[in-house]
Amino acid sequence: MNKTKIDGVILSLIASFCGATVPIFSKLVLEYFSAPVALFLRMVFSFVLISILLAVFIRPKIIIDKATLRIALFGALNFVFLMFGIKYIPAVIAPIFYSLVPIEVTIFSFLFYREKISLIKLLGIIVGYCGALVVLYPTISGANSDRIEPIGVLLVLLGSCSVALFSMFIQKSNSKYSPYNLSFQAITLALVFSVPMLLIPSASSEALKTFDLKVIWLVIGIAAIGTIGQYIVFQNAISKIKASANVMFFYFQPVFVIALSLIFLNEEIGAYYFIGLIFVLVGSSLNIGVYSKIKDLASNKRAIK
């Protein structure tokens, strides 16, 4: 395996961990702030940090056109949907829906570009969504309806669809746009979206229950690690190993979320969760073509020897 591919694998794992911090830290932040305020603070810190990063260290050429704004729009929508949705579901449920992203990319590729869906991919779509239903079965049956609310499921699902469109348009552009460029635009758009949301009544009436300095550090953590870190590192991984980055990212993110959840939230994880997760990952694997991607990652090993 050559250095570029090794770097891509490492970057995918780092991006996966960065992404796993978002639902965990967001749940903790939402104990103090309402969703509109939490989103606004996340985007303010993200905008300030990425502006400093780009102005002082990276200094990339910022290109703004219809193509970059379309990609950035879906990145921004993910920030919004996840922050509002995670309030209504356990943090460990979020990666289940984000693991559906490869399946959603297949569906959107058909809708936008009329790419054919093979029988294998169709089977993966069915298996993947059946897995999501298995995870939600305790809620559907009424066993834990107090822990998972339909609005939360819908919002997080919309967030995963936004990530799918974000990833699809990046891949279709052949990764010709700078990760810093797209991340900056996505964060800026999300900040703009978050401002009018402060007018929502709950934002003023429940904005701050109990002030604690640690919550500010949590928001900074979401901004630096879960927002800037995740987006920039993941886009760099895509540029190095393309769709194979999805394999590493969406396979390991549930693992990281489970570990962080046990440490910070002590959430209960039942058998239905793990059974459903397996179905979702199998379905995503069929859509990614995981065997061919793993084979591709190792394709240069013999040549190097």
Side-chain angles (χ1 to χ4, degrees):
M1 191 183 297
N2 62 28
K3 187 177 184 301
T4 298
K5 291 183 177 180
I6 291 175
D7 290 344
V9 170
I10 294 173
L11 288 173
S12 294
L13 290 174
I14 294 173
S16 182
F17 174 79
C18 291
T21 65
V22 176
I24 304 299
F25 289 177
S26 294
K27 291 289 285 188
L28 295 171
V29 169
L30 289 170
E31 294 178 3
Y32 297 87
F33 295 109
S34 65
V37 174
L39 175 66
F40 175 73
L41 290 176
R42 174 187 180 182
M43 303 327 303
V44 166
F45 280 111
S46 297
F47 180 80
V48 171
L49 291 173
I50 197 170
S51 296
I52 294 173
L53 177 66
L54 300 188
V56 178
F57 300 101
I58 309 298
R59 298 181 180 179
K61 182 179 180 181
I62 301 297
I63 300 173
I64 302 177
D65 54 29
K66 290 183 178 180
T68 59
L69 286 174
R70 180 176 63 172
I71 296 172
L73 171 63
F74 291 108
L77 288 175
N78 171 53
F79 298 142
V80 177
F81 288 133
L82 180 59
M83 183 61 76
F84 278 81
I86 198 67
K87 176 181 178 180
Y88 301 102
I89 64 173
V92 293
I93 297 296
I96 294 292
F97 294 102
Y98 280 89
S99 292
L100 291 170
V101 164
I103 293 175
E104 292 161 351
V105 168
T106 297
I107 296 173
F108 288 131
S109 295
F110 169 76
L111 294 176
F112 282 86
Y113 301 103
R114 289 295 182 264
E115 293 185 3
K116 293 183 178 179
I117 300 179
S118 65
L119 288 176
I120 292 296
K121 289 188 175 183
L122 181 60
L123 176 62
I125 292 171
I126 296 172
V127 170
Y129 281 106
C130 283
L133 289 175
V134 169
V135 172
L136 295 175
Y137 174 75
T139 300
I140 297 172
S141 65
N144 64 349
S145 57
D146 59 322
R147 296 180 61 232
I148 303 177
E149 297 185 30
I151 184 62
V153 173
L154 176 61
L155 289 171
V156 174
L157 183 59
L158 288 172
S160 72
C161 288
S162 299
V163 171
L165 289 164
F166 180 81
S167 300
M168 181 187 72
F169 287 130
I170 288 178
Q171 291 177 25
K172 295 301 179 182
S173 71
N174 295 316
S175 302
K176 67 179 181 180
Y177 299 112
S178 163
Y180 306 102
N181 182 14
L182 295 176
S183 297
F184 177 77
Q185 291 185 49
I187 289 169
T188 303
L189 284 176
L191 176 58
V192 172
F193 294 159
S194 71
V195 173
M197 292 179 187
L198 293 174
L199 299 177
I200 297 174
S202 64
S204 57
S205 62
E206 301 177 9
L208 184 60
K209 295 180 179 179
T210 306
F211 181 79
D212 192 327
L213 187 59
K214 74 176 183 181
V215 74
I216 301 300
W217 287 110
L218 286 171
V219 174
I220 293 174
I222 298 174
I225 301 173
T227 307
I228 299 172
Q230 177 188 189
Y231 269 56
I232 291 177
V233 173
F234 182 58
Q235 290 174 72
N236 275 290
I238 290 178
S239 69
K240 293 180 181 296
I241 56 177
K242 299 190 182 300
S244 301
N246 285 334
V247 176
M248 308 297 297
F249 184 85
F250 295 109
Y251 267 46
F252 283 91
Q253 191 175 63
V255 176
F256 289 131
V257 170
I258 291 171
L260 291 172
S261 175
L262 292 174
I263 295 172
F264 292 101
L265 300 176
N266 196 30
E267 291 183 343
E268 296 180 6
I269 305 174
Y272 284 107
Y273 179 89
F274 291 104
I275 295 171
L277 176 59
I278 292 172
F279 273 80
V280 169
L281 293 180
V282 169
S284 294
S285 299
L286 294 174
N287 276 266
I288 295 173
V290 64
Y291 174 75
S292 62
K293 297 298 182 295
I294 293 175
K295 185 178 179 180
D296 179 63
L297 285 173
S299 61
N300 290 334
K301 185 176 181 180
R302 182 177 298 179
I304 295 174
K305 289 182 177 180

